[in-house]
């Protein structure tokens, strides 16, 4: 029996060796596209409340890697969306209220701007004004997040290709009398004012101003966000070099600030359906990294009880403002493992730049 045992052992070892060689011979997928998704005001409890309401499952669970990001700002344990968005997009802590600039007024370069300089197409799709704090952190450079007309001007100066959200008044009904929509048209942008128009556009540059200020809550606006993301991907994916798309489920924050349970669950489920659009594309494409996180937690949400079977969830809020808890980070696709662990929210930028092969000499 010994020769047989030796033969089988050798055969098994040889199979392991061949398997390892075949595995090493397979090319490691590279990151061509990045879809960076932010649930504004979303932390673990918001996610689990939605999971419970959906009777035990969410699309976000398809992500195999999970981490946590610390959210405090340069001048406050409790961050606002401007400072949090800037830390995420630009890799440096700044003070609450500041967008794309450091506390000493240095202009900070965002991951969207780095991607554009590398030749990738870029876009933003949000359920707030395009000039609101989080999308502005990827586009603009202002000391005060309330300077929405100035932020709109920064859109005309940026290299962004697709912009879908609200805020028409800051482009067209301005205190200075300028019409920035005309400026965008002169730069080759197609302009849309509703989702039917957006869905008819398949290439080129797009500015979609879907509301005078913010779009309506989910119960009125419907599937605007997943449809906007699907359209943005379709347009941006025409670039053979790849694309960077920032997506925000903006009104999760507003629902939590108002301590409105139904509004919160509606916005969370809408965001998760948008996650499905991103993950389905990434799964099919094979070279797309999807990063899903929050900028901060809002409301101090506490889940007191619930039922996976019925979808009932009993929640209370401790606050109408932001809190200081870390936010989860879910990732899918090539490079996803590098987002595991616990780290500062300023680490998103260097991780993204490493995966896009943007060297330190270019930063």
């Amino acid at each position: 029996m010994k020769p047989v045992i030796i033969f089988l052992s050798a055969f098994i070892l040889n199979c392991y060796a061949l398997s390892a060689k075949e595995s090493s011979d397979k090319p490691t997928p590279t990151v061509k596209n990045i879809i960076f998704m932010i649930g504004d005001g979303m932390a673990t409890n918001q996610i689990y409340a939605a999971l419970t309401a959906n009777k035990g499952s969410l699309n976000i669970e398809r992500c195999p890697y999970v981490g946590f990001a610390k959210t405090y700002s340069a001048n406050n344990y409790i961050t606002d969306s401007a400072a949090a968005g800037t830390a995420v997009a630009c890799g440096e802590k700044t003070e609450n209220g500041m967008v794309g600039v450091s506390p000493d007024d240095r202009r900070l370069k965002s991951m969207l701007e780095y991607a554009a300089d590398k030749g990738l197409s870029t876009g933003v799709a949000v359920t707030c004004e395009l000039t609101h704090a989080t999308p502005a952190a990827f586009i603009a450079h202002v000391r005060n997040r309330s300077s929405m007309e100035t932020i709109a001007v920064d859109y005309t100066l940026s290299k962004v290709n697709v912009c879908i959200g609200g805020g028409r008044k800051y482009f067209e009904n301005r205190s200075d009398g300028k019409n920035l929509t005309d400026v965008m048209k002169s730069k080759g942008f197609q302009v849309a004012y509703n989702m039917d128009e957006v869905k008819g556009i398949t290439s080129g540059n797009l500015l979609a101003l879907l509301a005078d200020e913010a779009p309506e809550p989910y119960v009125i606006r419907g599937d605007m966000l997943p449809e906007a993301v699907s359209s943005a991907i379709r347009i941006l994916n025409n670039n053979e070099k790849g694309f960077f798309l920032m997506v925000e489920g903006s009104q999760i924050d507003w629902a939590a600030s108002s301590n409105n349970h139904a509004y919160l669950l509606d916005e969370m489920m809408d965001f998760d359906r948008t996650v499905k659009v991103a993950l389905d594309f990434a799964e099919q494409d094979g070279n797309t990294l999807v990063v899903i996180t929050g900028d901060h937690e809002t409301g101090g949400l506490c889940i007191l009880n619930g039922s996976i079977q019925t979808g009932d969830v009993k929640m209370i809020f401790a606050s109408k403002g932001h809190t200081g808890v870390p936010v989860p980070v879910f990732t899918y696709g090539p490079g996803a493992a590098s987002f595991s662990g616990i780290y500062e929210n300023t680490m998103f930028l260097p991780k993204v730049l490493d995966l896009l092969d943007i060297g330190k000499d270019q930063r």
Side-chain angles (χ1 to χ4, degrees):
M1 294 294 293
K2 286 184 179 180
V4 174
I5 294 172
I6 293 170
F7 171 77
L8 287 173
S9 299
F11 177 75
I12 291 169
L13 287 171
N14 189 49
C15 286
Y16 275 118
L18 286 171
S19 176
K21 182 179 185 306
E22 287 171 1
S23 180
S24 64
D25 286 344
K26 291 180 181 177
T28 302
T30 57
V31 177
K32 179 182 175 184
N33 311 308
I34 295 179
I35 304 174
F36 201 103
M37 309 186 71
I38 298 174
D40 197 313
M42 181 187 78
T44 307
N45 283 9
Q46 283 80 3
I47 293 169
Y48 203 71
L51 181 147
T52 303
N54 203 45
K55 298 185 178 181
S57 68
L58 289 176
N59 291 292
I60 203 169
E61 294 179 84
R62 292 164 59 183
C63 296
Y65 295 98
V66 183
F68 282 93
K70 307 169 191 176
T71 63
Y72 62 90
S73 70
N75 68 332
N76 204 308
Y77 185 71
I78 307 300
T79 190
D80 79 332
S81 290
T86 299
V88 170
C90 305
E92 288 195 34
K93 300 276 188 181
T94 196
E95 295 179 1
N96 286 2
M98 301 180 79
V99 174
V101 294
S102 67
D104 60 355
D105 281 338
R106 283 181 296 110
R107 181 186 176 101
L108 303 176
K109 190 171 182 177
S110 76
M111 60 178 71
L112 183 147
E113 292 171 316
Y114 276 109
D117 285 346
K118 188 177 172 65
L120 277 67
S121 294
T122 62
V124 294
V126 298
T127 55
C128 61
E129 300 90 338
L130 288 167
T131 51
H132 212 270
T134 305
F138 288 79
I139 299 288
H141 308 274
V142 297
R143 281 192 58 84
N144 190 332
R145 60 180 290 177
S146 298
S147 304
M148 290 199 182
E149 289 192 353
T150 304
I151 292 169
V153 171
D154 278 358
Y155 271 88
T156 70
L157 303 173
S158 75
K159 296 179 181 179
V160 69
N161 302 105
V162 173
C163 320
I164 306 175
R168 180 175 179 176
K169 65 180 288 187
Y170 302 109
F171 288 82
E172 297 183 355
N173 187 24
R174 297 167 52 84
S175 60
D176 60 10
K178 295 179 180 177
N179 188 330
L180 299 185
T181 301
D182 289 340
V183 177
M184 296 295 273
K185 286 179 180 177
S186 73
K187 292 178 176 289
F189 276 77
Q190 302 158 91
V191 177
Y193 295 106
N194 58 62
M195 278 308 303
D196 286 338
E197 293 175 352
V198 169
K199 287 186 281 189
I201 295 170
T202 59
S203 62
N205 295 337
L206 169 66
L207 172 65
L209 299 169
L210 305 180
D212 196 44
E213 295 187 70
E216 296 287 355
Y218 170 75
V219 290
I220 300 173
R221 74 172 186 269
D223 291 330
M224 174 210 131
L225 188 60
E227 290 176 352
V229 170
S230 180
S231 294
I233 290 171
R234 183 177 63 250
I235 297 168
L236 296 172
N237 197 40
N238 288 312
N239 187 343
E240 292 182 357
K241 292 183 178 180
F243 67 81
F244 175 91
L245 174 63
M246 192 286 290
V247 178
E248 186 189 35
S250 317
Q251 297 191 35
I252 297 167
D253 175 63
W254 304 349
S257 290
S258 63
N259 290 182
N260 186 319
H261 298 179
Y263 185 12
L264 175 65
L265 292 175
D266 281 343
E267 295 299 328
M268 280 297 308
M269 295 306 301
D270 179 56
F271 185 66
D272 190 63
R273 285 188 289 271
T274 309
V275 166
K276 182 181 187 303
V277 173
L279 293 179
D280 285 352
F281 173 79
E283 183 177 7
Q284 181 179 12
D285 177 71
N287 295 106
T288 297
L289 168 68
V290 180
V291 181
I292 307 159
T293 189
D295 53 351
H296 53 74
E297 195 275 342
T298 300
L301 179 65
C302 180
I303 301 173
L304 298 179
N305 206 341
S307 169
I308 296 294
Q309 288 71 38
T310 65
D312 294 326
V313 54
K314 183 179 180 183
M315 304 177 283
I316 61 169
F317 293 91
S319 168
K320 287 183 177 289
H322 301 176
T323 69
V325 301
V327 292
V329 184
F330 299 83
T331 48
Y332 180 99
S338 63
F339 291 86
S340 299
I342 301 175
Y343 42 85
E344 300 287 351
N345 57 0
T346 54
M347 290 304 297
F348 286 108
L349 179 69
K351 291 176 187 292
V352 164
L353 297 187
D354 285 345
L355 292 169
L356 289 177
D357 197 27
I358 296 174
K360 290 183 171 53
D361 59 324
Q362 299 170 278
R363 304 182 191 182

